[in-house]
Amino acid sequence: MSELSINTTQNVKINFIAASIGERLGAYFIDASIKIAYIIIVWLVFFYWLKVGILMDGLDDWSSRALMLFFAIPLMFYSLTLESIFEGQSIGKILLKIKVVKIDGYQAGFGDYLIRWFFGIIDFFIPIIYGLVALITVISSKNAQRLGDMAAGTAVITLKNNINISHTILEEIGTAYVPTYPLVIKLSDNDMRIIKETFNKAAEKNDHEIIAKLTAKIESVTGIKNQSGNNSDFIRVVLKDYNFYTQNM
């Protein structure tokens, strides 16, 4: 599974996991099953019980086609309608916990879903190679996108890996928290995102040299002096202090 990083308009970087081929296929077949169930119900109710088929025998070709088109409309616009209503999810996607999102951090809109739906004709309904185009592009593209996603600037992500506070510049602080370094307000959201990402990566590798350089950079930019004597503790306090001073701004 590939990871999709989104930088939001607040300069907050959030990492998502792209939905796997299995999840996307599972959602596709669930939706396909719902469409098949609809066809069966329509046939039983209108063409078997209500004998609409007999009535159509007396209609001209255009009227018959218009009636068939009427019954086909829910099938044609199934994905477009549901993704627009449920913000990027069809019934299959809801059950499999996957969702369509914009790769630039914005909420996908009707226009995006419309583009995905239109390109679905190429992705899924070309004769002989049904779905093969979509399968190849999802496997080969960087963000696991089919042609419709590429055209709309969207991707399908899994919601099973919940994004927690560690993926943002936010830090958990209690109501009784007392800040240590007021000068952290000299830093921006983007500065804090870079600091947190760099610190977390360095901490994972026990790279004390990078942590020391990061501490020195914070001190030089803000005028803060490390009072703890421990670089890692200092950076953790800076992150929490910034959250404290900016949470109500």
Side-chain angles (χ1 to χ4, degrees):
M1 292 184 293
S2 61
E3 186 174 276
L4 175 64
S5 295
I6 292 178
N7 282 311
T8 69
T9 53
Q10 290 77 35
N11 290 320
V12 177
K13 184 176 182 180
I14 301 178
N15 296 321
F16 293 104
I17 302 298
S20 67
I21 291 292
E23 289 172 322
R24 295 184 71 154
L25 284 175
Y28 175 81
F29 285 121
I30 289 173
D31 290 330
S33 298
I34 292 172
K35 294 176 184 178
I36 292 171
Y38 167 80
I39 293 172
I40 294 172
I41 291 171
V42 167
W43 185 85
L44 287 174
V45 173
F46 292 95
F47 292 89
Y48 182 74
W49 292 331
L50 299 182
K51 308 298 182 182
V52 172
I54 296 175
L55 296 176
M56 288 177 65
D57 291 338
L59 300 175
D60 58 65
D61 289 343
W62 284 105
S63 298
S64 297
R65 291 171 185 172
L67 187 59
M68 293 299 294
L69 179 61
F70 172 78
F71 287 117
I73 285 176
L75 297 176
M76 294 168 58
F77 296 100
Y78 171 87
S79 61
L80 176 61
T81 302
L82 291 185
E83 287 181 0
S84 299
I85 293 174
F86 296 113
E87 298 183 339
Q89 291 182 291
S90 62
I91 294 176
K93 289 184 177 68
I94 291 173
L95 294 177
L96 271 294
K97 296 184 179 179
I98 60 178
K99 180 179 181 179
V100 178
V101 297
K102 290 285 286 182
I103 60 175
D104 61 5
Y106 287 93
Q107 172 66 49
F110 177 78
D112 303 308
Y113 304 133
L114 179 62
I115 293 172
R116 294 185 79 253
W117 172 83
F118 179 78
F119 274 85
I121 298 172
I122 300 174
D123 285 328
F124 297 111
F125 300 115
I126 296 178
I128 302 176
I129 55 173
Y130 296 102
L132 187 59
V133 174
L135 184 62
I136 292 174
T137 53
V138 168
I139 292 174
S140 60
S141 64
K142 178 183 176 182
N143 294 322
Q145 296 168 293
R146 64 175 176 86
L147 290 180
D149 288 315
M150 294 177 186
T154 59
V156 180
I157 63 167
T158 179
L159 302 177
K160 295 173 185 175
N161 300 82
N162 295 324
I163 303 302
N164 56 49
I165 199 169
S166 66
H167 294 95
T168 71
I169 62 171
L170 303 177
E171 290 289 322
E172 293 181 355
I173 56 175
T175 55
Y177 181 78
V178 178
T180 305
Y181 305 113
L183 291 178
V184 294
I185 58 173
K186 290 185 176 182
L187 300 169
S188 67
D189 283 358
N190 194 48
D191 293 331
M192 299 308 296
R193 178 178 61 80
I194 295 172
I195 290 170
K196 185 168 186 177
E197 288 180 0
T198 304
F199 172 68
N200 286 341
K201 290 178 181 177
E204 288 177 2
K205 299 177 181 178
N206 290 319
D207 193 334
H208 299 292
E209 182 179 354
I210 292 295
I211 294 174
K213 289 181 179 179
L214 185 60
T215 297
K217 185 66 174 179
I218 294 171
E219 289 179 329
S220 66
V221 170
T222 62
I224 296 172
K225 296 300 178 184
N226 183 2
Q227 298 178 11
S228 67
N230 183 291
N231 291 332
S232 294
D233 290 343
F234 168 70
I235 294 174
R236 291 189 184 98
V237 172
V238 166
L239 290 167
K240 290 183 178 181
D241 283 3
Y242 184 83
N243 193 103
F244 177 86
Y245 285 113
T246 60
Q247 63 182 349
N248 295 317
M249 292 178 63

